[in-house]
């Protein structure tokens, strides 16, 4: 736990059209660590990931990747540095087969399809099938597999559980954790399903109305009634 963080947010304030939706966010993710970013609908979880990806520009504060300030670094350049983002809704291409997703590399990029198939063996069986014909859980496997095929150093996953049965989520999350531990990739896991997220996370941060209200290691969070409140009541 003493390794340099792969990601650090330092006093980050961010938003849209000059209006802040995130205020003074500080958090870190170390190599091999799974960090849960929790909070109700509209708390600012997706905006945090979009700011790390470089799609939304911070108003104040810094995003540090392996200690380097990413200010001025484009989303594409961040991706090339090793920042992977599995968006809410998965971002797979319905008309392409599973195998085609692993051939669809941008310039200079080589995708490690074997790694994706190793962590998600079901994908190999489905390699000839179009993504649009996959179940929700299979599509999520494909999105995760596609992200880890890029051998990221930081993997951000937005609402993996969206639209999936809990039993499917319970199968996918441990794979994400195993991948983090095996590869040393840091994972920032955005989830509304607090209990499921805390089964695989090492630490967690709770966002409420754009601010971090609680953070700590998972054992401490599980014992924290404030977490339960802020996560289940929703943003008013
Ligand atoms: P959800 O789980 O619903 O995505 P969230 O915690 O990820 O919730 P965000 O999507 O980051 O929250 O939204 C935080 C706030 O920012 C909300 O008040 C939302 O209305 C606002 N917001 C999000 N995207 C935009 C945008 N493109 N333009 C303006 N406001 C936005």
């Amino acid at each position: 736990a003493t390794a340099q963080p792969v990601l650090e947010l330092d006093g980050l304030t961010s938003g849209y059209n000059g209006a802040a939706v995130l205020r003074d966010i500080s958090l870190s993710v170390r190599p091999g660590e799974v960090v849960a970013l929790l909070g109700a609908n509209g708390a600012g979880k997706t905006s945090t990931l979009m700011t790390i990806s470089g799609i939304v520009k911070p108003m104040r504060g810094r995003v540090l990747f392996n200690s380097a300030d990413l200010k001025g670094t484009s989303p594409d350049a961040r991706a090339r540095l090793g920042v992977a983002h599995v968006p809410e809704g998965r971002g797979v291409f319905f008309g392409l087969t599973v195998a085609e997703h692993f051939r669809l590399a941008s310039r200079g990029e080589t995708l490690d399809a074997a790694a994706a198939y190793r962590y998600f063996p079901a994908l190999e069986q489905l390699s000839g099938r179009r993504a649009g014909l996959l179940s929700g859980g299979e599509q999520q496997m494909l999105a995760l597999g596609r992200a880890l095929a890029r051998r990221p150093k930081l993997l951000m996953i937005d609402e993996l559980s969206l639209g999936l049965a809990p039993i499917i989520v319970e199968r996918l999350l441990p794979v994400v954790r195993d991948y983090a531990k095996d590869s040393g990739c840091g994972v920032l896991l955005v989830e509304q399903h607090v209990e499921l997220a805390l089964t695989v996370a090492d630490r967690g941060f709770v966002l409420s109305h754009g601010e971090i209200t609680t953070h700590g290691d998972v054992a401490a969070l599980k014992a924290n009634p404030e977490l339960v409140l802020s996560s289940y009541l929703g943003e008013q």
Side-chain angles (χ1 to χ4, degrees), residues 8 80 85 96 165 168 187 218:
E8 260 182 292
R80 286 193 296 273
H85 186 168
L96 297 184
I168 307 292
V187 174
V218 161

Side-chain angles (χ1 to χ4, degrees), residues 15-17 21-22 39-48 50 56 88 158-159 190 192 207 235:
Y16 306 91
N17 307 313
V21 299
L22 298 172
N41 239 317
K45 305 180 300 295
T46 298
S47 299
T48 304
M50 303 268 265
V56 173
E88 202 170 348
D158 198 348
E159 224 62 82
V190 159
Q192 277 193 58
L207 260 182
E235 303 287 284

Side-chain angles (χ1 to χ4, degrees), residues 55-220:
I55 298 158
V56 173
K57 301 241 175 335
M59 296 154 75
R60 271 192 302 281
R62 299 183 302 166
V63 178
L64 302 169
F65 181 72
N66 287 328
S67 304
D69 191 339
L70 289 183
K71 188 179 166 75
T73 306
S74 70
D76 281 352
R78 291 177 196 213
R80 286 193 296 273
L81 287 172
V83 177
H85 186 168
V86 178
E88 202 170 348
R90 296 153 201 152
V92 300
F93 300 99
F94 283 9
L96 297 184
T97 66
V98 168
E100 283 165 347
H101 279 78
F102 294 107
R103 277 185 234 125
L104 194 78
S106 44
R107 209 161 13 146
E109 190 183 44
T110 50
L111 294 174
D112 187 358
Y117 291 148
R118 195 158 62 244
Y119 284 92
F120 300 103
L123 284 179
E124 192 153 24
Q125 264 74 65
L126 297 165
S127 63
R129 192 165 303 176
R130 287 185 201 285
L133 298 176
L134 300 176
S135 70
E138 291 163 349
Q139 287 177 6
Q140 189 60 276
M141 271 186 218
L142 176 56
L144 293 166
R146 181 63 173 67
L148 67 84
R150 297 181 44 234
R151 300 183 199 85
K153 299 188 176 76
L154 173 70
L155 176 58
M156 301 189 286
I157 305 172
D158 198 348
E159 224 62 82
L160 177 150
S161 63
L162 195 78
L164 300 182
I167 182 141
I168 307 292
V169 182
E170 282 162 23
R171 282 186 207 137
L172 293 178
L173 284 177
V175 180
V176 170
R177 181 190 51 205
D178 290 348
Y179 175 71
K181 302 303 166 196
D182 296 347
S183 67
C185 175
V187 174
L188 186 57
L189 185 69
V190 159
E191 260 305 327
Q192 277 193 58
H193 281 84
V194 175
E195 278 161 73
L196 287 175
L198 294 185
T199 61
V200 298
D202 299 295
R203 291 189 298 135
F205 290 78
V206 180
L207 260 182
S208 179
H209 301 286
E211 294 179 43
I212 305 273
T213 51
T214 311
H215 69 97
D217 61 32
V218 161

